[in-house]
Amino acid sequence: MCGIVGGIGQFPIRDYLINGLKTLDYRGYDSAGVALAEPEGIRVFRMPGRVQALDEATPRDLHVVLGIGHTRWATHGAPTANNAHPHTSMNGEFVLVHNGVIDNFRHLKNKLEAEGYVFHSETDTEVVANLLEFHYNRLKNVKAAMLAMIEELQGSYALAILKKGDLKHIYFAKNRSPLVVGHGEGKNLLASDFLPMLKEGKDFAPILDHQYGYITEDTIKIFNEDGSVANPKFTRPDLKIEDIGLQGYPHYMLKEIEEAPAVVRRLIDNYFDGNQFLFDPKLINKLKAADDIIFIACGTSYHACLIGRRYMEYLGKRSEVYIASEWAYHPFVSAKNPMFVIVSQSGETADLIRCMEIINSRGAVSLTITNTKGSTLERDATYSLLLFAGVEIAVASTKAYVAQVALLSLLTGAMDDSTAVVSHLYDVIKAENAVIANSESLKPTAKYLSGKKDVFFLGRGTDYDVALEASLKLKEITYIHSEGLPGGELKHGPIALIEKDTPVIGFISDPLTDLPIRSNFKEVEARGATVITVVSKSLAKAGDSITVPDVKEYLSPLVKVLVAQYLAYFAALELKVNIDKPRNLAKSVTVE
């Protein structure tokens, strides 16, 4: 949700922090701030709104030797200047930024108030700052104070900390909220992920849960919970600065929609050598041996898992799909030998991390499918598979969904000992390119949708799964109310919502359900609805609205979802909303 950036060394730290925060703004935020340390003291600048406003308000002529920055997505208190980070302890001893949620902050706040501490914000973060100062005043040692603070904190946190009068250290601590450190030439860095550090850093390493330490101009020191020195593995991601640019596109979402064919091709290249699949044989054997394949995910990834469940059922395997925030509190499993498949674009989703902790506490086998190498969920799983989709900046996920479904299809092919899926995916690439080439033809339909207050998506089978994702995309970036429904459920309640000229978008990919879903379209048309059909070419009939090239029915979501993504994008364009950064949403949901 939030973003942290920090740096120390002989380089333009003020600009590095501001630009780093801009790089992180895809994660979502509603306020921002920086703390800049000069020989004269620590200066703090913070305000609600975008980083651009913070940039304009932060002087450029400061003699900065180290600093930290933060973008906040409000959890405790409204997005005001008072609640924005960084926060300063009551007597000014520490200035810090924080990602995560402190579960026992009320208890700690009451304790500190009894000690005479006064609070000026509604945040749990100010509690952390004052708690650290309280222990420092008692122990007179920063490391000892941090350990005492960590022992009392319950919940999730990534902390970057400045100490008054200390121009040589940025301190940090981490638990269940991402934090990465990086080496540079004559400098060292830290951030929520490696993207803000990519230009200034040489290589990077994730901080693990319950670790803490500090960076100086020439040192990175990391300690484990027991006080022993950690030796992390530093790596350089296979990514260039230009890979995260718009490259001439007006929005990241459009760029990422049109990267879908390349994403599918990259997955084939990474998991198939032309003759055989390249998955770990132990993973395939574990999947084959499992008596229940349990998918756990959130949002768009959950919708991809619905299709994955159908793939497992095709193989004759029992399979279930759970929303992570639900399963985390009701983790019932009846199977004796389950295999858990955790799907997350970021690999840092808080609800999924909670689920992974439960899975690991039971000694169960797990597979993480993620786009982020080195993420918490990848590290904590028994097995992991990368999506190789490249950085996805737009908050509304597009190419990551395509990558998840395509990877699940390849995994199914490997379990079925059939390479036919590879040629089927090459057909998908051709079909996706055809949709992209004809995307302009979707603009009139999108313009029509942009003027409506309700939109319904219908489908059966995998088309219903696509309807759910299509509905999510539309509501995410246009703020138009929408629902995805199974066609057969209309008569059981939802048809009461149909009024004159209500748009109903229907997907048709399966010959088996072609006639039944068309009957559903007639039912809503009889109530005044305007039906827009998205149909595979071989099933198209006179009067159908949008026709897409044929692919194998089980892979049809990879083509039809592009139509849904374009409709949402073009409708949002008509409405002149912030397409890449929709209101109230964040890319990486790192708090529960």
Side-chain angles (χ1 to χ4, degrees):
M1 298 293 231
C2 310
I4 288 175
V5 183
I8 180 171
Q10 302 304 312
F11 72 114
I13 291 172
R14 182 261 183 215
D15 292 343
Y16 159 72
L17 294 178
I18 294 293
N19 292 332
L21 293 178
K22 289 178 180 177
T23 302
L24 285 173
D25 68 6
Y26 74 95
R27 298 168 71 93
Y29 69 96
D30 46 39
S31 58
V34 292
L36 304 170
E38 301 178 287
E40 298 78 16
I42 301 172
R43 298 186 63 178
V44 174
F45 304 88
R46 55 185 187 161
M47 59 181 56
R50 295 295 178 188
V51 176
Q52 185 59 42
L54 177 68
D55 187 7
E56 293 168 0
T58 305
R60 297 177 182 274
D61 57 353
L62 302 177
H63 180 54
V64 182
V65 293
L66 70 159
I68 54 177
H70 188 268
T71 54
R72 175 178 184 256
W73 192 87
T75 56
H76 294 76
T80 63
N82 225 31
N83 289 328
H85 299 212
H87 284 279
T88 304
S89 59
M90 186 178 75
N91 298 306
E93 203 67 54
F94 293 95
V95 178
L96 62 79
V97 296
H98 163 226
N99 289 352
V101 174
I102 305 303
D103 296 335
N104 62 333
F105 87 101
R106 292 190 186 280
H107 166 75
L108 295 173
K109 187 173 183 178
N110 290 338
K111 168 187 168 179
L112 290 166
E113 285 177 332
E115 295 288 340
Y117 276 85
V118 177
F119 291 82
H120 303 285
S121 77
E122 304 167 82
T123 68
D124 54 346
T125 303
E126 190 182 8
V127 173
V128 179
N130 283 331
L131 182 65
L132 180 58
E133 182 179 274
F134 168 77
H135 286 301
Y136 178 77
N137 289 339
R138 184 172 59 86
L139 299 167
K140 304 303 180 184
N141 178 278
V142 176
K143 182 181 175 183
M146 287 180 64
L147 271 173
M149 172 194 71
I150 289 168
E151 287 178 2
E152 289 201 70
L153 294 180
Q154 297 175 14
S156 58
Y157 54 83
L159 300 168
I161 305 162
L162 303 184
K163 167 76 170 65
K164 183 177 72 174
D166 184 347
L167 299 180
K168 294 184 177 181
H169 300 84
I170 298 177
Y171 300 91
F172 60 80
K174 188 264 189 192
N175 184 46
R176 291 168 50 196
S177 199
L179 193 63
V180 180
V181 290
H183 287 126
E185 294 286 352
K187 70 196 81 156
N188 282 312
L189 316 161
L190 59 79
S192 298
D193 64 42
F194 64 83
L195 289 180
M197 304 184 286
L198 200 57
K199 184 177 179 180
E200 300 289 347
K202 296 187 300 182
D203 52 23
F204 314 99
I207 305 302
L208 304 183
D209 283 352
H210 309 296
Q211 289 184 334
Y212 64 99
Y214 58 82
I215 62 174
T216 69
E217 186 173 322
D218 53 16
T219 305
I220 295 177
K221 203 77 168 178
I222 304 171
F223 301 100
N224 295 313
E225 192 174 12
D226 62 3
S228 61
V229 177
N231 295 297
K233 181 181 178 182
F234 283 81
T235 59
R236 176 77 183 182
D238 184 20
L239 186 70
K240 299 180 179 65
I241 288 288
E242 54 267 26
D243 291 337
I244 60 175
L246 281 165
Q247 299 175 8
Y249 281 90
H251 299 94
Y252 280 106
M253 183 178 179
L254 181 60
K255 173 177 176 281
E256 289 157 8
I257 290 171
E258 298 192 349
E259 288 174 343
V263 166
V264 176
R265 188 179 300 278
R266 199 177 303 129
L267 281 168
I268 295 171
D269 291 345
N270 277 279
Y271 292 110
F272 185 72
D273 68 1
N275 295 301
Q276 61 183 1
F277 293 106
L278 301 175
F279 298 108
D280 183 346
K282 292 180 181 178
L283 166 62
I284 300 303
N285 289 336
K286 287 289 186 182
L287 286 164
K288 287 181 177 180
D291 58 0
D292 194 0
I293 307 294
I294 301 173
F295 292 94
I296 306 179
C298 310
T300 286
S301 298
Y302 171 78
H303 296 154
C305 289
L306 293 173
I307 296 170
R309 178 183 62 189
R310 294 185 191 275
Y311 293 167
M312 294 301 105
E313 290 172 347
Y314 159 78
L315 297 175
K317 300 194 73 67
R318 175 183 171 189
S319 186
E320 301 164 75
V321 188
Y322 291 100
I323 294 171
S325 56
E326 291 295 314
W327 192 86
Y329 291 94
H330 302 282
F332 173 76
V333 178
S334 60
K336 294 181 179 179
N337 184 32
M339 176 77 166
F340 291 90
V341 181
I342 308 296
V343 183
S344 167
Q345 187 279 139
S346 70
E348 299 291 353
T349 309
D351 292 312
L352 282 167
I353 290 172
R354 183 183 180 95
C355 293
M356 184 67 84
E357 290 170 352
I358 295 169
I359 292 165
N360 288 340
S361 71
R362 296 179 175 185
V365 180
S366 61
L367 163 65
T368 286
I369 294 175
T370 181
N371 200 33
T372 311
K373 185 175 178 59
S375 60
T376 300
L377 289 169
E378 192 212 17
R379 294 195 308 269
D380 290 352
T382 315
Y383 301 94
S384 66
L385 294 172
L386 293 174
L387 295 170
F388 298 108
V391 177
E392 191 177 62
I393 300 294
V395 169
S397 182
T398 52
K399 65 177 179 177
Y401 172 88
V402 169
Q404 289 165 351
V405 174
L407 179 52
L408 288 169
S409 72
L410 286 166
L411 198 59
T412 304
M415 293 171 65
D416 198 31
D417 299 314
S418 171
T419 61
V421 63
V422 176
S423 62
H424 297 164
L425 283 171
Y426 278 119
D427 291 337
V428 166
I429 292 171
K430 294 177 186 175
E432 288 179 334
N433 280 323
V435 173
I436 292 168
N438 292 299
S439 61
E440 290 288 315
S441 67
L442 300 173
K443 284 185 173 180
T445 302
K447 184 175 183 179
Y448 164 72
L449 296 176
S450 70
K452 302 302 175 184
K453 63 182 178 69
D454 300 291
V455 178
F456 296 90
F457 293 86
L458 296 185
R460 289 176 179 244
T462 56
D463 286 330
Y464 167 53
D465 302 334
V466 175
L468 292 172
E469 176 59 14
S471 174
L472 177 61
K473 282 295 146 293
L474 188 71
K475 70 182 69 167
E476 275 183 309
I477 65 167
T478 67
Y479 319 137
I480 297 170
H481 168 256
S482 67
E483 290 189 42
L485 300 168
E489 279 296 293
L490 277 173
K491 294 186 291 293
H492 297 278
I495 202 167
L497 298 171
I498 301 300
E499 299 174 344
K500 182 176 174 54
D501 203 28
T502 300
V504 175
I505 301 173
F507 298 103
I508 306 177
S509 305
D510 185 358
L512 186 65
T513 58
D514 181 13
L515 292 179
I517 195 69
R518 289 185 185 276
S519 294
N520 299 141
F521 298 160
K522 292 297 182 185
E523 291 167 353
V524 294
E525 282 179 334
R527 275 91 179 161
T530 298
V531 173
I532 300 162
T533 52
V534 184
V535 188
S536 297
K537 184 177 180 181
S538 60
L539 298 176
K541 292 179 171 57
D544 281 329
S545 313
I546 300 165
T547 302
V548 299
D550 285 323
V551 296
K552 289 294 183 180
E553 189 271 328
Y554 75 99
L555 294 175
S556 62
L558 294 172
V559 181
K560 290 188 174 63
V561 77
L562 261 65
V563 175
Q565 291 167 356
Y566 272 123
L567 289 175
Y569 173 79
F570 289 137
L573 206 59
E574 286 287 333
L575 292 167
K576 296 180 172 57
V577 294
N578 193 334
I579 293 174
D580 287 335
K581 302 166 192 172
R583 69 189 183 200
N584 303 332
L585 298 180
K587 184 67 175 175
S588 181
V589 184
T590 56
V591 295
E592 293 182 29

